[in-house]
Amino acid sequence: MTRFTTARSLALLALFPLGAMLLRLGMSDSFLYDEAEQYLVAEDLRPGYPNQPPLFYWGVHAVSRLIGMGLPAIVLVKYACLLLMYAGLYASARCLFPLSTNPRGPDIALVVAGSALLIPQFSAKIIEDLTHTVLMLAVTAWTTWAFLRVMASRRLRDYGVLGLLFGLGMLSKYNYLIPAAALTGSALLSRQHRGAVLNPRFLLAILIGLAVLLPHLVWLWQESFQPLGYAMARGRVGGLGLAGAGKILVSSYWPCALYALVVGLCFGCRLGQPDELAGDAAGLHPLIRRAGLLALGLPMVAIASGLLGFFKAKWLTASMLLLPLAVFSLTRRDLLLRRRAPFGRGVALVGVLVLGARALPGFAPDITGSGPRELIPYDHLSTQLETRIAAHGWNPAQTLLVTRTPLLAANLLKLSSFGGYVIVREEPTAEQRRLMATYPRAVLVWDAGPDRGPGPPTELGQAYPEAVSQQPLTALYRRSTKERYALGWAFAEASHGSGTSHVSGASHGSGASPAGLSPARPADQPPPAPAGTGA
């Protein structure tokens, strides 16, 4: 067998992100929820945003300057991050399993990195509606690589790279702090590696990270740390309860247990044998095992003990990225060398099946019985809506679009000529009230599925009690001859009163709105959302 070069290994790892990107672009040009948020928000370059840290927004902003704001820019950034995640995981595995220790055959590091496809969070789930999480995973993978290099060599440049990644990680999602703290804690628990952390160079790395993070920290200070405060309020003590904690533990950790079981059955376990047998003179194998245990164990203890009042399973995704490295550090080297090729082929088959399972409902929804959200026929619905508005004697360019979610707002704004939009949630700010008062004519839209009652949802009805509901607009899902999507809508022709619903919104035209907002951007003060908890 031919030895796998680094270039060949990376090319194989790129196949899954490339296939997923082409599948997403070929399925539809409609936005999913997180993509819709990017379309509405990322055109404006700011040091901070209410819902998420800014790094992914910055990436979309930069790419959109080259190819235009739209789905291709958002998808390109997302799947570039996914490719970087697998490349970073491969680089980290190379620190544990150098090429020099491999006989001819598939690169062990390639097998380790590719095995992440067996964890749903890095295969089926990651190609759904996620954006910021994918970026955080990419930074986490490369942070692990830089940390292992620091522990092995303690060179100044490696500390500098680690500090840069610390800053970028916190700019990607705030729960990046969990794996970063786990890696640091693992080193502090090791006599061999403690000195690499307790020295001035590690302090320099922290200072570099803070320098990268400084503009966002200033913004958080100016915003009174509202994004962080919201998450802390939801995580109040004692809120989950025993049943809630059990449900979270099962949903969060079963993929980890299944992955460890599959790898253990394939390659055995050398627990209790000296790590030197694996060619690990730098002691990186026990280091990464402790880091994986801390990254997954500490949240488990917090959940089980009732210290958290709110928790989302996807917050553990970055911690799970350490799992392949930790589990493979325990495998038997003889079985790993003998079985890596068939195992790699099995992993490749899983990747193909994941993409196939994603493609089938998207390209043959009548076979599966339902289509994904990408197939909602926004183009036909937008045409119907503008026709009805014009027939009513209104000019869409002088009409406000009012919805409950960014999903409807972005998909309709992309295809229509509304003067502005608002997203109704809770209490509106003064700036948002001014925007609503600027447009005496508004069109309310909502998902009018079979589980919805007649008339607009409560939030929209409270914001515009004078709204007059119309017959829902319907159109067949794309590529479907059976299933139809229904869009509820209503006219509201009056100056806005003292509604009690939150509104985030913007002008959508060629210039600034009368309220002083930039085109196609949310208002200055959307409501705080769980920090670092979105996709």
Side-chain angles (χ1 to χ4, degrees):
M1 291 187 293
T2 304
R3 181 189 295 274
F4 275 47
T5 63
T6 299
R8 185 177 180 183
S9 296
L10 291 176
L12 289 172
L13 287 174
L15 291 177
F16 181 77
L18 179 61
M21 182 180 71
L22 295 176
L23 176 61
R24 175 65 187 94
L25 291 174
M27 188 178 297
S28 168
D29 61 354
S30 298
F31 297 116
L32 294 174
Y33 192 94
D34 282 357
E35 296 163 349
E37 182 194 32
Q38 295 295 324
Y39 177 76
L40 296 174
V41 174
E43 186 174 341
D44 189 9
L45 188 63
R46 289 182 276 168
Y49 302 85
N51 295 336
Q52 293 286 350
L55 190 56
F56 195 91
Y57 295 116
W58 291 349
V60 172
H61 180 87
V63 173
S64 69
R65 300 281 74 79
L66 300 176
I67 64 175
M69 176 57 74
L71 184 65
I74 299 167
V75 169
L76 180 61
V77 174
K78 171 180 175 174
Y79 288 102
C81 291
L82 183 57
L83 174 59
L84 287 173
M85 183 206 83
Y86 276 102
L89 191 57
Y90 171 79
S92 301
R94 281 282 297 272
C95 293
L96 301 175
F97 304 99
L99 274 179
S100 59
T101 65
N102 291 350
R104 291 181 177 274
D107 185 355
I108 293 178
L110 171 63
V111 175
V112 176
S115 71
L117 286 170
L118 301 178
I119 304 175
Q121 282 76 2
F122 306 131
S123 54
K125 292 183 180 297
I126 207 168
I127 62 175
E128 294 177 358
D129 193 15
L130 295 177
T131 51
H132 300 273
T133 298
V134 186
L135 173 60
M136 177 187 62
L137 290 172
V139 181
T140 299
W142 285 102
T143 299
T144 305
W145 167 79
F147 198 89
L148 293 175
R149 287 175 62 89
V150 164
M151 295 299 108
S153 64
R154 306 191 186 186
R155 290 177 296 191
L156 182 61
R157 66 182 182 185
D158 292 329
Y159 280 98
V161 172
L162 181 62
L164 175 64
L165 290 166
F166 279 160
L168 293 177
M170 291 303 294
L171 288 174
S172 62
K173 284 195 77 170
Y174 300 127
N175 50 311
Y176 162 86
L177 187 62
I178 298 176
L183 288 167
T184 305
S186 177
L188 289 173
L189 292 174
S190 168
R191 180 178 301 176
Q192 182 178 358
H193 302 106
R194 192 175 300 143
V197 175
L198 301 178
N199 71 43
R201 292 186 175 187
F202 196 81
L203 177 60
L204 175 63
I206 294 176
L207 292 176
I208 292 173
L210 289 175
V212 173
L213 193 58
L214 183 60
H216 185 60
L217 289 175
V218 171
W219 177 84
L220 284 173
W221 176 271
Q222 293 171 344
E223 298 295 316
S224 301
F225 295 93
Q226 284 189 355
L228 296 176
Y230 188 91
M232 294 175 65
R234 295 187 76 179
R236 64 191 183 278
V237 173
L240 276 176
L242 184 61
K247 183 178 179 181
I248 288 291
L249 287 172
V250 172
S251 64
S252 301
Y253 288 95
W254 76 260
C256 303
L258 182 61
Y259 174 85
L261 177 63
V262 170
V263 175
L265 290 174
C266 291
F267 301 114
C269 177
R270 59 177 182 83
L271 189 64
Q273 299 180 25
D275 286 292
E276 287 74 15
L277 293 179
D280 182 33
L284 299 182
H285 287 222
L287 176 73
I288 201 66
R289 289 198 293 272
R290 280 193 302 271
L293 184 62
L294 288 172
L296 292 170
L298 292 179
M300 179 187 293
V301 171
I303 295 169
S305 62
L307 293 177
L308 296 177
F310 179 81
F311 194 86
K312 287 188 175 182
K314 64 181 178 181
W315 292 355
L316 281 176
T317 307
S319 299
M320 290 182 183
L321 198 62
L322 300 178
L323 187 64
L325 301 172
V327 170
F328 270 87
S329 72
L330 280 170
T331 54
R332 288 176 49 185
R333 180 58 61 91
D334 58 333
L335 294 179
L336 183 57
L337 294 176
R338 187 162 59 238
R339 299 176 180 175
R340 54 188 165 154
F343 181 83
R345 288 192 288 270
V347 167
L349 178 60
V350 169
V352 172
L353 292 176
V354 167
L355 294 178
R358 180 69 171 157
L360 184 60
F363 289 95
D366 288 345
I367 295 177
T368 60
S370 64
R373 290 168 294 171
E374 296 97 315
L375 300 188
I376 295 176
Y378 292 109
D379 48 352
H380 297 299
L381 296 169
S382 176
T383 300
Q384 294 181 49
L385 185 60
E386 288 204 316
T387 300
R388 302 290 179 85
I389 293 172
H392 196 66
W394 288 10
N395 181 358
Q398 298 175 355
T399 303
L400 192 67
L401 178 68
V402 184
T403 77
R404 292 199 305 170
T405 68
L407 185 66
L408 284 175
N411 281 292
L412 292 176
L413 285 172
K414 181 183 69 169
L415 298 165
S416 62
S417 57
F418 284 100
Y421 76 94
V422 292
I423 299 174
V424 178
R425 289 174 181 166
E426 296 174 359
E427 185 65 27
T429 66
E431 184 73 10
Q432 294 156 356
R433 289 181 186 276
R434 285 196 296 270
L435 176 63
M436 296 180 75
T438 300
Y439 292 90
R441 294 175 173 178
V443 170
L444 285 55
V445 296
W446 63 91
D447 179 359
D451 57 338
R452 308 284 184 182
T458 302
E459 300 91 337
L460 300 184
Q462 290 177 345
Y464 286 93
E466 70 280 4
V468 180
S469 298
Q470 307 295 312
Q471 185 70 23
L473 306 174
T474 64
L476 286 169
Y477 278 81
R478 298 182 181 185
R479 305 187 185 93
S480 175
T481 59
K482 301 177 182 178
E483 189 175 3
R484 304 184 72 88
Y485 177 84
L487 181 72
W489 68 293
F491 287 117
E493 187 172 12
S495 59
H496 180 67
S498 56
T500 59
S501 296
H502 162 75
V503 181
S504 62
S507 169
H508 183 69
S510 58
S513 72
L517 300 175
S518 302
R521 300 173 186 173
D524 293 345
Q525 301 292 335
T533 65

